[in-house]
Coordinates of all heavy atoms in Angstrom, one line a residue:
K1413 N -29.3 13.8 8.8 CA -30.1 13.4 7.6 C -29.2 12.5 6.7 O -29.6 11.5 6.2 CB -30.6 14.5 6.9 CG -31.6 14.1 5.8 CD -32.2 15.2 5.1 CE -33.1 14.7 4.0 NZ -33.6 15.8 3.1
E1414 N -27.9 13.0 6.5 CA -27.0 12.2 5.6 C -26.7 10.8 6.2 O -26.7 9.8 5.5 CB -25.8 13.0 5.4 CG -25.9 14.2 4.5 CD -24.7 15.0 4.4 OE1 -23.6 14.6 4.9 OE2 -24.7 16.1 3.7
T1415 N -26.5 10.7 7.5 CA -26.2 9.4 8.1 C -27.5 8.5 8.1 O -27.4 7.3 7.9 CB -25.7 9.6 9.5 OG1 -26.7 10.3 10.3 CG2 -24.4 10.3 9.5
Q1416 N -28.6 9.1 8.1 CA -29.9 8.3 8.1 C -30.1 7.8 6.7 O -30.6 6.7 6.5 CB -31.1 9.1 8.6 CG -31.0 9.4 10.0 CD -32.1 10.4 10.4 OE1 -32.9 10.9 9.6 NE2 -32.2 10.6 11.8
D1417 N -29.8 8.6 5.7 CA -30.0 8.2 4.2 C -29.0 7.1 3.9 O -29.3 6.2 3.1 CB -29.8 9.4 3.3 CG -30.9 10.4 3.5 OD1 -32.0 10.1 4.1 OD2 -30.8 11.6 3.1
N1418 N -27.8 7.2 4.4 CA -26.8 6.2 4.0 C -26.9 5.0 5.0 O -26.3 4.9 6.0 CB -25.4 6.9 4.1 CG -24.3 5.9 3.5 OD1 -24.6 4.9 3.0 ND2 -23.1 6.4 3.7
D1419 N -27.7 4.0 4.6 CA -27.9 2.8 5.4 C -26.8 1.8 5.2 O -26.5 1.0 6.1 CB -29.3 2.1 5.0 CG -30.4 3.0 5.5 OD1 -30.3 3.8 6.4 OD2 -31.5 2.8 4.9
T1420 N -26.1 1.8 4.1 CA -25.1 0.8 3.9 C -23.7 1.4 4.2 O -23.5 2.6 3.9 CB -25.1 0.4 2.4 OG1 -24.9 1.5 1.6 CG2 -26.4 -0.3 2.0
Y1421 N -22.9 0.6 4.8 CA -21.6 1.2 5.2 C -20.6 0.4 4.3 O -20.6 -0.7 4.2 CB -21.3 0.7 6.7 CG -19.9 1.0 7.0 CD1 -19.3 2.2 7.2 CD2 -19.0 -0.2 7.1 CE1 -17.9 2.4 7.5 CE2 -17.6 0.0 7.4 CZ -17.1 1.3 7.6 OH -15.8 1.5 7.9
L1422 N -19.8 1.3 3.7 CA -18.7 0.8 2.9 C -17.4 0.9 3.5 O -17.0 2.0 4.0 CB -18.6 1.5 1.5 CG -19.8 1.4 0.6 CD1 -19.7 2.3 -0.6 CD2 -20.0 0.0 0.2
P1423 N -16.6 -0.2 3.6 CA -15.3 -0.1 4.3 C -14.3 0.7 3.4 O -14.5 0.9 2.2 CB -14.8 -1.6 4.4 CG -15.6 -2.3 3.3 CD -16.9 -1.5 3.1
P1424 N -13.2 1.2 4.0 CA -12.3 1.9 3.3 C -11.6 1.1 2.2 O -11.6 -0.1 2.2 CB -11.2 2.3 4.3 CG -11.8 2.0 5.6 CD -12.9 1.1 5.4
R1425 N -11.1 1.7 1.1 CA -10.6 1.0 0.0 C -9.4 0.1 0.4 O -9.2 -0.9 -0.1 CB -10.1 2.0 -1.1 CG -9.7 1.3 -2.4 CD -9.2 2.3 -3.4 NE -9.0 1.6 -4.7 CZ -7.9 0.9 -4.9 NH1 -7.0 0.7 -3.9 NH2 -7.7 0.3 -6.1
K1426 N -8.6 0.6 1.4 CA -7.4 -0.2 1.8 C -7.8 -1.5 2.4 O -7.1 -2.5 2.4 CB -6.6 0.6 2.8 CG -5.8 1.7 2.3 CD -4.8 2.3 3.3 CE -3.8 3.2 2.7 NZ -2.9 3.7 3.7
A1427 N -9.0 -1.5 3.0 CA -9.5 -2.8 3.6 C -10.0 -3.7 2.6 O -9.8 -5.0 2.7 CB -10.6 -2.5 4.6
V1428 N -10.6 -3.2 1.5 CA -11.1 -4.1 0.4 C -10.0 -4.6 -0.5 O -9.9 -5.7 -0.8 CB -12.2 -3.3 -0.3 CG1 -12.6 -4.2 -1.5 CG2 -13.3 -3.0 0.6
H1429 N -9.1 -3.6 -0.8 CA -7.9 -3.9 -1.7 C -6.7 -3.6 -1.0 O -6.1 -2.5 -1.2 CB -8.1 -3.0 -3.0 CG -9.3 -3.2 -3.7 ND1 -9.6 -4.3 -4.5 CD2 -10.4 -2.4 -3.8 CE1 -10.9 -4.2 -5.0 NE2 -11.4 -3.0 -4.5
P1430 N -6.2 -4.5 -0.2 CA -4.9 -4.2 0.5 C -3.7 -4.0 -0.4 O -3.6 -4.7 -1.5 CB -4.7 -5.4 1.4 CG -5.5 -6.5 0.8 CD -6.6 -5.8 0.1
S1431 N -2.8 -3.2 -0.1 CA -1.6 -2.9 -1.0 C -0.6 -4.1 -0.8 O -0.5 -4.8 0.2 CB -0.9 -1.7 -0.5 OG 0.3 -1.5 -1.2
E1432 N 0.0 -4.4 -2.0 CA 1.0 -5.5 -2.0 C 2.4 -4.9 -2.1 O 3.3 -5.6 -2.4 CB 0.8 -6.4 -3.2 CG -0.5 -7.2 -3.1 CD -0.7 -8.2 -4.2 OE1 0.2 -8.2 -5.1 OE2 -1.7 -8.9 -4.3
Q1433 N 2.5 -3.6 -1.8 CA 3.8 -2.9 -1.9 C 4.8 -3.6 -0.9 O 5.9 -3.8 -1.3 CB 3.7 -1.4 -1.5 CG 5.0 -0.7 -1.6 CD 4.8 0.8 -1.3 OE1 3.7 1.2 -1.0 NE2 5.8 1.5 -1.4
G1434 N 4.4 -3.9 0.3 CA 5.4 -4.5 1.3 C 5.9 -5.9 0.7 O 7.0 -6.2 0.9
K1435 N 5.0 -6.7 0.1 CA 5.3 -8.0 -0.3 C 6.4 -7.9 -1.5 O 7.4 -8.5 -1.5 CB 4.1 -8.6 -0.9 CG 4.3 -9.9 -1.6 CD 3.0 -10.4 -2.2 CE 3.3 -11.6 -3.2 NZ 2.0 -11.9 -3.9
W1436 N 6.2 -6.9 -2.4 CA 7.0 -6.7 -3.5 C 8.4 -6.1 -3.1 O 9.5 -6.4 -3.7 CB 6.4 -5.9 -4.6 CG 5.4 -6.6 -5.3 CD1 4.0 -6.4 -5.3 CD2 5.5 -7.7 -6.2 NE1 3.3 -7.3 -6.0 CE2 4.3 -8.1 -6.6 CE3 6.7 -8.5 -6.6 CZ2 4.1 -9.2 -7.5 CZ3 6.5 -9.6 -7.5 CH2 5.2 -9.9 -7.9
T1437 N 8.4 -5.2 -2.1 CA 9.6 -4.7 -1.6 C 10.5 -5.8 -0.9 O 11.7 -5.9 -1.1 CB 9.3 -3.6 -0.5 OG1 8.5 -2.7 -1.1 CG2 10.6 -3.0 0.0

Side-chain angles (χ1 to χ4, degrees):
K1413 185 178 179 188
E1414 288 175 4
T1415 56
Q1416 290 173 355
D1417 291 342
N1418 189 5
D1419 292 338
T1420 59
Y1421 167 74
L1422 294 176
R1425 188 182 185 284
K1426 280 188 172 184
V1428 177
H1429 304 284
S1431 175
E1432 294 186 2
Q1433 182 178 2
K1435 173 184 165 187
W1436 289 109
T1437 303

